[in-house]
Amino acid sequence: MDILIVKLSSLGDVVHAMPAVQDLRAARPGARIDWVVERAFAPLVRRCEGVDRVIPLELRRWRRAPLAPATRQEWRAFRQELQAQAYDAVIDLQGLTKSALVARTARLAEGGRRYALANRTEGSSYEAPTRWIADVAVRVPARSHAVQRSRELCAAALGYELPAQLRYGLHAEPHHNQDVPHRDQGVPDYEQRLPPHDQREPHHHPGEPRPCIAFVHGSSREDKCWPQPHWIELGKKLVAEGFAIGLPHGSDAERRRSEGLAAAIGPHAQVWPRLDLGVLADRLAGCAGVIGVDSGLSHIAVALDLPHVQIYNFDTAWRTGPEVPGVPQGRQRSVYGSPCPSLPAVWEAWRALG
């Protein structure tokens, strides 16, 4: 059986679709599974277990100049690559006009069908063309976690029971031995994965490696961010317990914020270089844990099964947070507060992971 997954963006949505692929593999072990995704997210999808072929596209860029000769040429090349394989099932997990267009462009095998969501779920975007184009539109509960929505659509489309276990299947190569310059003494530290996750307070001696905690402080929405003084104080508390702090960034503004946080936290905080998502996932996998706002990188931390606290300024963790209804709770917690969670609340959530 040949299956095409259509989930183009954004980063968090792509991560939330990965468990559905693992369900498909378990239910249809002989199936071939391809995935269409925006090129920026392709390095991450290539690390998703069970995906045979990643088909990248750049709709976001193409829409800026839809009639340009380069756009038309690139679209033709994408269409040719997409239609090289005929599919028994094309499953649109996005529910938008752009994903419906891609699903419609895909080539069906004889007897093949296109599947899509029949309804909008609370807090999520949805556009009617996705169900107009589908051969089968599947209704899911209106109040659904993003992970479960994709899982339920795939299960209904191919007629299998939803597994009790949830797996993301995201594989990464832990990135070790990253120097964290000791500015005042010239002594290097190194990032390493904290071996057993219950060792929350490592005993550290000068010159020994420090396990790294990544701070995911950036978001595409400023109102999802956590106050910088909280990050600084949290960083100092973790450094005092023997950790190093890693500061990823995905934009110039986030880089400047990372630099400011590193300067304020002190010599055991390091600004990471800007990395593609695959390499960044590897680097996160080498950390002892992650504390972050509601963003794509935080969702990667969940998929990697890292100890993780996810910070919510809005009461939406039920929809996108690490705790998925009906699934045993792992090593991740969400913390909600208005206008934002307090530093003690985040600290206690982190301590509770041990």
Side-chain angles (χ1 to χ4, degrees):
M1 185 176 197
D2 296 304
I3 302 168
L4 180 68
I5 297 295
V6 181
K7 188 71 165 184
L8 310 179
S9 61
S10 57
L11 177 53
D13 293 336
V14 168
V15 174
H16 287 146
M18 290 180 177
V21 172
Q22 307 314 309
D23 295 347
L24 284 170
R25 292 180 66 246
R28 302 288 183 270
R32 171 194 175 94
I33 303 173
D34 295 348
W35 188 328
V36 184
V37 70
E38 282 280 349
R39 187 174 298 278
F41 310 126
L44 196 68
V45 175
R46 290 191 181 101
R47 284 165 164 77
C48 182
E49 184 179 329
V51 176
D52 291 278
R53 184 170 62 126
V54 177
I55 307 171
L57 81 169
E58 297 186 83
L59 275 180
R60 291 178 171 179
R61 181 171 62 84
W62 295 341
R63 283 185 298 184
R64 293 198 291 268
L67 301 180
T71 299
R72 295 200 301 269
Q73 181 178 359
E74 290 172 14
W75 170 259
R76 285 194 297 269
F78 161 72
R79 186 176 59 192
Q80 183 176 5
E81 182 179 5
L82 177 63
Q83 294 179 344
Q85 175 70 45
Y87 294 100
D88 301 294
V90 174
I91 307 177
D92 177 3
L93 297 180
Q94 191 101 43
L96 299 176
T97 300
K98 63 181 182 180
S99 57
L101 171 64
V102 172
R104 181 65 182 85
T105 304
R107 184 163 63 95
L108 291 180
E110 184 177 355
R113 288 182 153 191
R114 296 181 177 89
Y115 301 87
L117 291 163
N119 60 295
R120 177 182 178 273
T121 58
E122 186 177 337
S124 299
S125 299
Y126 181 81
E127 294 170 349
T130 189
R131 66 173 178 267
W132 298 342
I133 286 172
D135 298 304
V136 179
V138 176
R139 182 163 292 276
V140 297
R143 189 175 176 87
S144 295
H145 191 283
V147 168
Q148 294 297 75
R149 180 180 62 180
S150 292
R151 297 181 77 203
E152 289 174 5
L153 171 54
C154 289
L158 298 189
Y160 57 83
E161 293 293 325
L162 201 65
Q165 184 182 14
L166 186 151
R167 291 184 63 250
Y168 284 84
L170 179 59
H171 292 293
E173 294 294 331
H175 181 99
H176 299 299
N177 298 332
Q178 287 298 308
D179 289 353
V180 182
H182 208 319
R183 299 190 189 96
D184 54 350
Q185 300 176 21
V187 179
D189 292 316
Y190 301 91
E191 293 176 11
Q192 64 177 21
R193 182 75 175 267
L194 190 64
H197 84 279
D198 57 349
Q199 294 181 14
R200 309 311 303 167
E201 298 183 27
H203 298 287
H204 179 262
H205 302 283
E208 284 189 353
R210 282 175 173 256
C212 181
I213 307 299
F215 279 4
V216 178
H217 58 83
S219 171
S220 58
R221 285 177 47 181
E222 190 64 30
D223 58 0
K224 288 186 175 182
C225 291
W226 204 42
Q228 293 188 47
H230 289 3
W231 285 117
I232 294 167
E233 185 62 28
L234 180 62
K236 289 179 176 179
K237 288 168 75 70
L238 288 167
V239 166
E241 292 200 344
F243 292 99
I245 305 300
L247 296 160
H249 59 88
S251 67
D252 290 341
E254 289 180 11
R255 175 183 53 80
R256 290 190 292 269
R257 185 188 298 138
S258 290
E259 291 169 347
L261 292 174
I265 292 169
H268 293 295
Q270 181 196 44
V271 179
W272 290 358
R274 197 173 303 180
L275 305 166
D276 81 28
L277 284 174
V279 178
L280 183 52
D282 293 342
R283 191 145 188 178
L284 286 173
C287 289
V290 176
I291 300 174
V293 298
D294 174 21
S295 75
L297 293 189
S298 287
H299 301 310
I300 290 176
V302 176
L304 292 172
D305 195 30
L306 292 168
H308 173 50
V309 174
Q310 201 164 116
I311 297 168
Y312 280 83
N313 298 343
F314 300 93
D315 189 15
T316 54
W318 65 267
R319 179 166 53 88
T320 60
E323 302 102 338
V324 178
V327 176
Q329 196 163 345
R331 300 192 287 174
Q332 298 88 28
R333 299 289 185 276
S334 62
V335 181
Y336 162 66
S338 181
C340 68
S342 67
L343 175 60
V346 172
W347 180 250
E348 288 305 314
W350 171 255
R351 301 282 293 180
L353 293 180

